[in-house]
Amino acid sequence: MKKILFVCHGNICRSPMAEFVFKNLVKEAGRESDFFIDSKATSTEEIGNDMYPPAKAKLREEGIPFTRRSARQITRSDYDNFDLIIGMDSANIRNMERIFGPDTEGKLKKLLSFTGNPGDIADPWYSGDFDTTYIQVDASCRALLSLY
């Protein structure tokens, strides 16, 4: 079983969107037993909060099922417990390296890197553009699943 953790700053927009998009793709492929999928934050700002309402609205609009959840922060032990830890942007990667230490096993990746574009997933918390974020997350999750 491949254990995948999606990570963003607050765990209320991008990483839970990626978590639920990827879970849906895995379910549609009939491969739920092949993966354990979760998401967390690098910061403590949103700990305990559910997904941001506009992120939920975008998932609903796209027909992606999701559940109520509480934002959580990554811990050092997550590095050992997950096979792949996927950040949404360069700042997430830096913050993960600060918490985890050096990425000696090559587990840290940016989500867009699976599409061949190592850029950052747009942060809709600041832009309000959940459409662009969804398009990037969906394309990246589809590319990720095709590799496994």
Side-chain angles (χ1 to χ4, degrees):
M1 175 177 288
K2 190 80 163 171
K3 295 178 182 176
I4 298 176
L5 180 64
F6 293 101
V7 179
C8 70
H9 183 77
N11 193 218
I12 61 168
C13 295
R14 295 173 294 171
S15 62
M17 287 176 75
E19 173 189 350
F20 291 116
V21 166
F22 195 68
K23 283 180 175 177
N24 189 60
L25 291 170
V26 165
K27 183 177 182 178
E28 287 177 348
R31 298 188 53 206
E32 291 171 291
S33 63
D34 294 344
F35 296 94
F36 176 80
I37 306 156
D38 202 357
S39 68
K40 292 188 179 183
T42 59
S43 78
T44 60
E45 295 168 28
E46 299 289 345
I47 299 304
N49 290 336
D50 192 11
M51 196 178 353
Y52 191 45
K56 289 182 189 181
K58 184 61 187 172
L59 292 177
R60 261 190 223 100
E61 178 185 318
E62 298 295 338
I64 306 296
F66 60 90
T67 57
R68 180 166 171 68
R69 52 179 315 288
S70 294
R72 295 167 294 140
Q73 185 183 31
I74 57 172
T75 63
R76 175 64 185 104
S77 64
D78 288 323
Y79 189 84
D80 297 324
N81 294 331
F82 285 89
D83 302 307
L84 192 56
I85 305 169
I86 303 171
M88 302 297 124
D89 61 33
S90 299
N92 300 153
I93 298 293
R94 283 191 305 276
N95 289 333
M96 287 191 288
E97 289 170 337
R98 182 181 46 78
I99 293 168
F100 296 143
D103 182 21
T104 57
E105 297 180 42
K107 294 181 177 188
L108 304 184
K109 308 287 183 201
K110 285 203 296 188
L111 185 55
L112 269 176
S113 69
F114 295 101
T115 66
N117 173 5
D120 294 343
I121 297 286
D123 191 342
W125 174 262
Y126 298 105
S127 70
D129 184 357
F130 285 84
D131 293 333
T132 296
T133 300
Y134 178 81
I135 290 166
Q136 292 176 323
V137 165
D138 183 65
S140 299
C141 286
R142 288 175 186 279
L144 172 61
L145 184 58
S146 75
L147 297 174
Y148 297 98

